[in-house]
């Protein structure tokens, strides 16, 4: 899956982009009634935010940089990559 304009991959080379940001609550967040317990249960400081999407994500989401997900560092199959940035 993925978008044709990205060679069948998401915008990040076909993987979620791992961040150092903890997946945690913030002011104004309201739990959804559609997926009760899906995200707020993971506000445990053990999960990190992942941006974008993977090649296995449905195409209408794969091209959106605003998509957020969450993973723990020890989860074995997340299809996640990372960027290393240095301040020189």
């Amino acid at each position: 899956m993925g978008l044709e304009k990205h060679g069948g991959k998401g915008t990040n080379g076909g993987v979620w982009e791992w961040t150092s940001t903890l997946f945690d609550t913030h002011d104004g967040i309201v739990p959804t009634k559609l997926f009760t317990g899906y995200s707020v249960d993971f506000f445990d400081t053990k999960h990190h935010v992942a941006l974008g999407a993977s090649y296995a994500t449905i195409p209408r989401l794969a091209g959106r940089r605003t998509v957020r997900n969450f993973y723990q560092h020890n989860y074995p199959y997340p299809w996640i990559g990372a960027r290393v940035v240095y301040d020189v």
Side-chain angles (χ1 to χ4, degrees), residues 49-62:
V49 173
L51 304 175
S54 80
Y55 68 88
T57 306
I58 59 174
R60 69 183 173 86
L61 296 178

Side-chain angles (χ1 to χ4, degrees), residues 6-64:
H6 298 296
K9 300 177 181 178
T11 56
N12 290 338
V15 295
W16 289 91
E17 184 177 329
W18 191 272
T19 73
S20 62
T21 305
L22 290 177
F23 188 73
D24 203 356
T25 188
H26 58 274
D27 291 339
I29 192 164
V30 178
T32 177
K33 293 179 182 176
L34 184 59
F35 299 109
T36 56
Y38 178 69
S39 59
V40 293
D41 287 354
F42 298 95
F43 293 154
D44 57 8
T45 68
K46 296 178 185 173
H47 292 77
H48 284 88
V49 173
L51 304 175
S54 80
Y55 68 88
T57 306
I58 59 174
R60 69 183 173 86
L61 296 178
R64 291 178 45 199

